[in-house]
Amino acid sequence: MYNILVGGAAGQGIDTTVANLEVLLKKAGYYVFTIKDFMSRVRGGHNFSLIRFGNEIITSHSNELDGMIALDDDTVELHKQNLKQDGFILCDTKLTTTDPKAIKLNMGGMAKELGNVRVSGSIAIGVILKLFGIATDHVEETMKNLVKEAYLDMNVKAVRLGYESVETRFSITPGNFSDWMIISGSKSLALGAIAAGIKFYSAYPMSPSTAIMEYLASKSVEADFVVEQAEDEIAAINMAIGASYAGARAMTGTSGGGFCLKVEALGLSGIAEIPLVAVNVQRPGPATGLPTRTEQSDLKFVISAAQGEFPRMVIALRNHKDAFYQTIRAFDITEKYQIPVIILSDQYLGDSTATVEPFDISNIKIANPSNDEYKEGEYLRYQLTENGISPRLIPGKSRNFVSVDSDEHDERGFITESADVRNQMMDKRMKKLELLREELLEPEFFGEENCETLFLGWGSTYGPIAEAVSILNEDEPGKYGALSFGDVYPLPTKLLMEKASKAKQIVNIEQNATGQLKDLIREQTGILCTGSILKYDGRQISGEEIVEKIRKGGQK
Amino acid sequence: MCEFKTYETAWCPGCGNFSILQCLKTALEELKKDPYEVLMVGGIGQAAKTPQYISANSFCGLHGRSLPAAVAAKIANEKLTVIVDTGDGDSYGEGGNHFIHNIRRNVGITHFVHDNQIYGLTKGQASPTTSEGQITGVQVTGSVNTPLNPVLMAIAAGAGFVARAFSGDTKHLTEIMKQAITYPGYAIVDILQPCVTFNKVNTYAYYKSRVYHLEEDYDSSNKLEAMERAMEFDDRIPIGVLYQEQKQTFHQKNIVLAGREPLVERQRDSTVIKQLMNEFV
């Protein structure tokens, strides 16, 4: 597989070049995995993307570069030490670098001659295709979907011009991925919500969660649902709860700080038993933290967010496929149990793009918000039942009143201060967890069945850990295995107990400073980790970094 | 004939909330509303308990957050008659931001604010509408903050229906309520209401000697005139519909909602998701 960096200042067109290049590579049959590393500014600064491609599935980024497209001098200076021996620097003649690895082309001038200086990105794409010996058969057809019709011809010519400007240096046979999708984690999550029949999404713009709102808003007319940009995070979640109460399947999304504001209403969803899917695309904190970067430090926060006790579920997304299917599952579980379901994503997963098999939508079954016409007697919104789940009606759909309350309430939904009723209602709500436990998904295991060293991770470290396990097992066969958690709360413990009892070392790998999963596991099972690899500089750990740290002794 | 029952309340004897609840029931009955199509929404506070005391659907949420929940319920199901009944603390204090922005949204809900110019449930602290200089258990040397003028603010922010009423003038209040409920967009009625326990300044006698009905020839479509009248809040306090204009509602402006069946009645179209997926292939 190969790895290319595209870097420059914000506003220089990195995103467009990357988006076009990754689609062309995928159309040519390659598996493509791209991450974005950018600063919290609109113009200037230093941003880059890493495009990794090959003929087999790739789950992690890599910092070792086969080449780079440098749009400014900073990019060359900051990244040339990561270039491999035969690596290249593709740049315009206007750059000052005299590095022997540089391929300097007058791309700006060529683009101007073609009619628009902005097509220099397409020239660079042509150069890349040629350097790696990739055929240009799909260029015209693919570009049709990527650029405006008026600019199509110019861009196709630019790709060909770039293609003719260099000689092939690398060789790689394509894979069979041309019919797969290439999609970001946030868009995949949003697609899952649409597949689940979302009717209402409310949010306040906040990086890196805004991508979900943007995608949903762009499809709301086509897919028939309402997206409302709320005045603040508090309004956003209370709106989602109001819409859900009225019978519209609803979701709200934000990032760490926004989730802090939503906490009281999360408890409202819990005590009022109103279905709600709440997404937290994590970024480093506290407060404003590093707005455009990545971290996994909200696990302990979201499992205990809001005062008091109530049942909830927390699902951490591990990859782009999870983002789709687990979002659908979140809607299913919130509807079924009438509890809030929190989805934890992060900037790394949300903004990265990966090649995934088209999603299977043939088996999506989510119970409808009740359409029942309640027939006799008084309807009790909070009826005490065996399993803790009360029949839910939608206001206005039947001749029954649907009364919900944030205060402790009786079966009708009216305020009470009775000690007995309080006990009954607490027991009723908490009972739902017993049923929920039965359908928890065990963590995914990969590596050697009887591994000596067991890695534990959750969420988006899935891919880097998977890559690390496979590299390490090549060197030391049979030694390494890993459990990656998706369902994190309640915590499924069966497979964990089994694997942990056999392993000699247990190492938790997390994107936070304290080892939050490690603590949760100790609390729930008494299992202790013997080592930790923790990263919290705002950049995601790669498979190669994990390998390096293990070889240095397994500690951070 | 529809009938809205009243349940037992937790209000103090003599509280202005009683007559507001009675007027609301009369207004709904006279408008021939079916209790099952009415959704009463409250936040937290004594006034916010109103939804619990009337036989209709009810949503009692969080302090200050009644508006976002109410507007979203209406967005989801336009067939519901959504009424927010809650206090001045809930509406103008903790919920101030939502008050401003839901005026801009203009979702067709009715907002009755029981404005007793004091925090009742928490035993008598200053509210956003408490008069300057008024002494309370917390504002021990008198409130130093300028009281908010909710009706002036609503007119300035672009609300299409702004009224002031008095809980002691029930016939007038009922009429105003009926007009507000039938108004197609967001309608706000600030209802002056004595708190007999904690507000010894703004009593029945205080309001009775000051309120007067807007004249029959008062032009409620004149915004500048409305703002002038809204500022009258001293020896004389006008009650009635201060300002009214026809504006496009959220449902009329939102392309997904406009002219269609309520969102909650629409079925999911599974072919759309296939098309959307294809855009990524």
Side-chain angles (χ1 to χ4, degrees):
Chain A
M1 66 188 87
Y2 290 115
N3 190 29
I4 302 167
L5 181 143
V6 185
Q12 280 194 304
I14 299 172
D15 285 353
T16 314
T17 304
V18 169
N20 292 349
L21 182 57
E22 63 183 12
V23 173
L24 284 166
L25 289 170
K26 196 225 47 157
K27 286 272 184 190
Y30 299 99
Y31 188 100
V32 184
F33 183 88
T34 308
I35 64 154
K36 289 198 169 105
D37 188 302
F38 55 98
M39 301 180 76
S40 185
R41 56 190 284 179
V42 178
R43 287 277 181 275
H46 175 67
N47 292 353
F48 67 90
S49 277
L50 289 170
I51 306 177
R52 208 174 178 199
F53 65 99
N55 49 26
E56 53 190 30
I57 290 175
I58 299 163
T59 62
S60 170
H61 67 284
S62 162
N63 292 313
E64 290 173 27
L65 304 174
D66 295 287
M68 69 167 94
I69 302 175
L71 301 177
D72 60 6
D73 286 313
D74 279 359
T75 302
V76 179
E77 286 314 305
L78 287 164
H79 300 284
K80 66 179 180 190
Q81 73 281 1
N82 293 333
L83 276 176
K84 289 182 189 164
Q85 203 63 40
D86 57 349
F88 64 89
I89 301 166
L90 173 63
C91 61
D92 197 274
T93 41
K94 71 176 192 285
L95 262 60
T96 58
T97 183
T98 52
D99 196 292
K101 287 175 179 168
I103 303 170
K104 282 185 145 185
L105 290 175
N106 181 14
M107 292 188 281
M110 288 153 86
K112 227 179 239 170
E113 245 169 63
L114 284 168
N116 191 328
V117 72
R118 298 182 73 89
V119 300
S120 61
S122 292
I123 297 172
I125 289 171
V127 172
I128 298 293
L129 295 179
K130 182 64 171 290
L131 287 173
F132 290 93
I134 296 163
T136 53
D137 310 355
H138 304 281
V139 169
E140 196 155 353
E141 173 208 336
T142 309
M143 290 298 249
K144 250 184 215 167
N145 300 323
L146 300 173
V147 299
K148 283 191 187 136
E149 210 185 325
Y151 299 103
L152 177 63
D153 213 37
M154 203 188 290
N155 275 285
V156 173
K157 277 186 188 149
V159 174
R160 298 206 189 282
L161 196 56
Y163 197 84
E164 287 154 14
S165 307
V166 289
E167 293 303 320
T168 297
R169 293 193 186 179
F170 305 91
S171 103
I172 180 170
T173 47
N176 298 315
F177 299 102
S178 57
D179 295 334
W180 285 28
M181 300 162 65
I182 182 150
I183 190 169
S184 75
S186 285
K187 284 181 181 172
S188 189
L189 186 159
L191 262 191
I194 296 172
I198 191 172
K199 286 274 172 266
F200 186 83
Y201 182 78
S202 46
Y204 185 82
M206 185 168 185
S207 293
S209 68
T210 314
I212 297 170
M213 176 159 62
E214 280 173 346
Y215 182 74
L216 286 174
S218 73
K219 302 300 172 193
S220 71
V221 176
E222 208 174 332
D224 206 23
F225 58 90
V226 170
V227 173
E228 182 60 8
Q229 182 179 317
E231 56 272 28
D232 57 31
E233 317 282 359
I234 300 174
I237 185 166
N238 280 281
M239 288 180 103
I241 292 171
S244 176
Y245 161 79
R249 197 160 281 159
M251 181 166 93
T252 185
T254 187
S255 295
F259 202 90
C260 294
L261 290 176
K262 291 178 173 183
V263 163
E264 188 190 22
L266 185 75
L268 170 63
S269 158
I271 192 168
E273 304 185 54
I274 297 169
L276 173 73
V277 178
V279 180
N280 177 357
V281 187
Q282 299 166 98
R283 70 190 216 186
T288 312
L290 290 164
T292 61
R293 306 210 174 267
T294 202
E295 200 163 87
Q296 295 186 303
S297 50
D298 295 348
L299 174 62
K300 275 189 172 174
F301 167 51
V302 302
I303 65 176
S304 55
Q307 81 277 22
E309 298 164 305
F310 56 92
R312 76 185 83 196
M313 180 169 191
V314 181
I315 302 173
L317 303 179
R318 288 174 292 207
N319 56 27
H320 301 73
K321 193 175 155 189
D322 255 10
F324 181 79
Y325 292 109
Q326 292 304 320
T327 301
I328 296 172
R329 182 162 164 258
F331 275 95
D332 183 34
I333 286 171
T334 195
E335 201 72 61
K336 202 159 147 189
Y337 296 98
Q338 304 167 25
I339 59 170
V341 178
I342 300 158
I343 295 176
L344 278 179
S345 178
D346 57 32
Q347 186 272 333
Y348 181 74
L349 173 61
D351 287 341
S352 65
T353 52
T355 313
V356 290
E357 204 169 1
F359 301 126
D360 178 9
I361 53 165
S362 60
N363 286 318
I364 301 171
K365 285 192 196 92
I366 299 173
N368 265 322
S370 171
N371 284 318
D372 296 349
E373 183 81 22
Y374 204 77
K375 288 177 185 72
E376 277 171 53
E378 190 186 14
Y379 166 64
L380 300 171
R381 172 64 194 90
Y382 300 110
Q383 190 185 344
L384 298 169
T385 58
E386 270 304 297
N387 59 12
I389 302 169
S390 310
R392 174 166 171 250
L393 293 185
I394 300 306
K397 280 201 170 181
S398 71
R399 295 196 70 75
N400 296 95
F401 297 131
V402 185
S403 297
V404 300
D405 203 311
S406 65
D407 278 87
E408 190 56 273
H409 41 252
D410 62 14
E411 286 183 281
R412 278 194 315 176
F414 285 15
I415 296 176
T416 182
E417 293 186 39
S418 151
D420 284 344
V421 176
R422 163 69 174 178
N423 281 337
Q424 287 169 349
M425 282 297 150
M426 279 298 284
D427 292 344
K428 181 194 106 69
R429 290 191 292 267
M430 298 314 281
K431 245 188 227 170
K432 297 188 222 177
L433 280 175
E434 291 167 28
L435 266 186
L436 178 62
R437 266 179 216 287
E438 288 172 23
E439 61 175 287
L440 291 181
L441 298 178
E442 291 293 326
E444 194 171 320
F445 179 79
F446 32 81
E448 295 299 329
E449 274 307 315
N450 297 306
C451 58
E452 248 175 60
T453 301
L454 177 69
F455 296 145
L456 299 178
W458 61 282
S460 73
T461 53
Y462 171 91
I465 293 175
E467 180 168 316
V469 166
S470 97
I471 296 173
L472 288 164
N473 277 335
E474 268 176 42
D475 277 12
E476 299 171 85
K479 221 181 146 192
Y480 295 93
L483 285 173
S484 174
F485 285 81
D487 285 6
V488 278
Y489 194 85
L491 186 76
T493 53
K494 214 178 115 202
L495 195 59
L496 170 67
M497 303 282 261
E498 184 194 317
K499 295 287 177 193
S501 67
K502 292 180 196 158
K504 283 187 189 154
Q505 286 114 31
I506 303 174
V507 180
N508 62 308
I509 302 174
E510 301 183 57
Q511 294 277 145
N512 59 56
T514 56
Q516 300 190 7
L517 177 72
K518 171 201 72 181
D519 288 353
L520 182 66
I521 285 174
R522 186 181 54 197
E523 178 196 302
Q524 305 264 319
T525 65
I527 293 170
L528 301 173
C529 291
T530 48
S532 285
I533 295 175
L534 303 171
K535 189 172 180 183
Y536 39 86
D537 61 2
R539 281 77 176 165
Q540 184 87 347
I541 200 161
S542 67
E544 291 156 356
E545 278 176 88
I546 296 172
V547 170
E548 196 188 321
K549 288 199 153 74
I550 287 297
R551 286 178 183 156
K552 279 183 183 165
Q555 304 293 324
K556 86 179 170 78
Chain B
M1 185 68 196
C2 326
E3 202 189 336
F4 286 82
K5 273 195 321 189
T6 306
Y7 300 108
E8 192 192 329
T9 79
W11 290 328
C12 310
C15 176
N17 284 330
F18 288 105
S19 52
I20 298 175
L21 175 59
Q22 187 50 50
C23 290
L24 177 69
K25 278 173 55 183
T26 310
L28 288 168
E29 282 166 10
E30 287 182 9
L31 290 172
K32 301 207 180 330
K33 291 284 177 188
D34 183 334
Y36 300 99
E37 69 177 22
V38 173
L39 168 60
M40 298 294 304
V41 183
I44 296 296
Q46 288 295 64
K49 290 174 180 167
T50 308
Q52 296 244 329
Y53 304 151
I54 182 168
S55 56
N57 296 292
S58 67
F59 181 107
C60 291
L62 300 172
H63 188 40
R65 316 303 168 197
S66 44
L67 281 174
V71 297
K74 181 73 175 183
I75 289 170
N77 187 357
E78 203 182 356
K79 285 184 183 167
L80 292 171
T81 297
V82 179
I83 298 170
V84 175
D85 243 85
T86 196
D88 42 322
D90 199 77
S91 300
Y92 311 138
E94 193 136 6
N97 198 24
H98 311 309
F99 175 52
I100 298 168
H101 293 283
N102 282 306
I103 289 172
R104 297 175 50 230
R105 254 181 209 111
N106 200 29
V107 175
I109 65 163
T110 315
H111 187 184
F112 295 134
V113 183
H114 303 213
D115 187 355
N116 57 13
Q117 304 182 254
I118 202 83
Y119 281 177
L121 185 65
T122 51
K123 302 189 194 269
Q125 302 78 22
S127 96
T129 52
T130 298
S131 309
E132 203 165 333
Q134 190 166 328
I135 292 171
T136 78
V138 170
Q139 286 71 31
V140 289
T141 57
S143 172
V144 295
N145 296 335
T146 306
L148 191 86
N149 183 330
V151 286
L152 179 63
M153 196 171 142
I155 297 167
F161 184 103
V162 183
R164 182 177 266 149
F166 169 45
S167 70
D169 189 344
T170 52
K171 192 165 162 244
H172 180 257
L173 173 58
T174 308
E175 270 318 301
I176 298 286
M177 281 181 157
K178 281 161 71 176
Q179 287 185 49
I181 293 167
T182 47
Y183 178 75
Y186 170 75
I188 164 97
V189 184
D190 186 67
I191 306 168
L192 303 171
Q193 171 226 1
C195 171
V196 293
T197 309
F198 295 111
N199 192 336
K200 304 298 184 196
V201 177
N202 308 109
T203 60
Y204 279 102
Y206 175 93
Y207 289 127
K208 270 196 174 139
S209 67
R210 285 169 172 80
V211 298
Y212 74 95
H213 292 187
L214 286 165
E215 304 76 21
E216 272 191 17
D217 62 351
Y218 172 75
D219 178 10
S220 65
S221 69
N222 184 333
K223 205 172 215 174
L224 284 175
E225 166 86 13
M227 291 173 102
E228 265 182 44
R229 292 296 183 102
M231 282 190 274
E232 235 183 291
F233 196 81
D234 204 355
D235 291 342
R236 280 168 60 76
I237 304 170
I239 56 173
V241 180
L242 288 157
Y243 184 68
Q244 190 168 6
E245 99 179 86
Q246 293 306 316
K247 296 173 69 131
Q248 280 214 307
T249 65
F250 187 90
H251 283 79
Q252 287 166 335
K253 289 184 287 184
N254 184 293
I255 192 165
V256 175
L257 298 170
R260 304 258 317 272
E261 73 273 32
L263 260 189
V264 293
E265 289 175 14
R266 300 186 200 171
Q267 294 303 309
R268 182 167 63 96
D269 175 5
S270 56
T271 57
V272 174
I273 189 73
K274 281 183 197 144
Q275 290 164 23
L276 295 179
M277 271 163 49
N278 275 334
E279 292 174 9
F280 293 99
V281 174

